[in-house]
Amino acid sequence: SNVYVSNCLFKSISSTSGDGGALSLTSVTYFLVESTSFFSCRTSGYWGGAIYFENRNSGQSVLYEVCGYDCSSNNRGLFARIDVNNAASSKNYFNYSSISRCVNVNSNAQQMFRLIYGKIYCPSVNISQNKCVYYSGIVCNPFCDSSSVTCSLSYSSFTDIVANQYDCIDLWTGGAKYEIKSCNILRNTQGSSTQGIIYTNGNLMIDNSCILEN
């Protein structure tokens, strides 16, 4: 029921069916990955070029010092999709990590990195030079608590991201509280006339951040 991955390199791994190019977990409660890299991992399935984790009943996930590079899926979650239990006490963390150059420009390609449910906490991350049609930076669907922040992006950089149609940073859960704190959001591009670089469905505070040349 617990999976711990440490000091590993997953390189040029391909899955021809199913979700998750390198790791696919659907019955795990606690999932921890640290000091691990995923290079050129791919799936021909629907979700998760490198990682697919789903346990909405009791799951929690922490990715710490993870590097993702040149990963792709056939449809969604070019790098990863992480689904945890939908409660404020459930961790859905992505810490001190980097994802870059995950590219897929076919018409269905979307959601480069999606974190679903729980409390989403992303300090000191770099997401850069990724490209797809929709949601090419990060998608966050946290637990909804209107009285406290359940999704925090802090001390992070989101740079040179391209969405052929719309949204680079997508904060999806309606009514939730979000914060973008001390972040650099630089030189990102999206193609929709009705959307933006940042999209929020809830209440967002942006503090002490640099947003330039988007």
Side-chain angles (χ1 to χ4, degrees), residues 95-135:
N95 304 347
Y96 304 98
S97 297
S98 178
I99 306 171
S100 65
R101 294 187 182 272
C102 295
V103 175
N104 187 343
V105 293
N106 75 44
S107 60
N108 295 318
Q110 60 175 284
Q111 302 183 36
M112 192 281 299
F113 182 40
R114 179 165 171 171
L115 299 168
I116 302 177
Y117 296 153
K119 185 173 184 179
I120 296 173
Y121 181 59
C122 301
S124 300
V125 301
N126 169 57
I127 295 179
S128 63
Q129 298 181 317
N130 302 293
K131 183 177 181 179
C132 61
V133 178
Y134 311 102
Y135 319 121

Side-chain angles (χ1 to χ4, degrees), residues 4-10 22-23 32-39 51 63-68 79 96-98:
Y4 174 45
V5 179
S6 177
N7 293 302
C8 292
L9 170 62
F10 295 86
L23 295 171
L32 170 60
V33 182
E34 66 175 350
S35 303
T36 290
S37 295
F38 299 84
F39 295 164
I51 301 170
L63 309 182
Y64 177 80
E65 292 183 348
V66 167
C67 181
F79 175 71
Y96 304 98
S97 297
S98 178

Side-chain angles (χ1 to χ4, degrees), residues 37-111:
S37 295
F38 299 84
F39 295 164
S40 302
C41 295
R42 290 174 168 76
T43 181
S44 298
Y46 203 73
W47 283 102
I51 301 170
Y52 178 79
F53 173 83
E54 182 177 12
N55 182 349
R56 296 187 180 188
N57 293 320
S58 58
Q60 298 192 59
S61 168
V62 176
L63 309 182
Y64 177 80
E65 292 183 348
V66 167
C67 181
Y69 178 84
D70 186 36
C71 296
S72 182
S73 67
N74 189 48
N75 196 294
R76 301 187 181 192
L78 273 64
F79 175 71
R81 170 175 167 163
I82 309 290
D83 290 30
V84 305
N85 176 250
N86 194 23
S89 59
S90 298
K91 293 181 176 66
N92 199 349
Y93 292 178
F94 181 62
N95 304 347
Y96 304 98
S97 297
S98 178
I99 306 171
S100 65
R101 294 187 182 272
C102 295
V103 175
N104 187 343
V105 293
N106 75 44
S107 60
N108 295 318
Q110 60 175 284
Q111 302 183 36

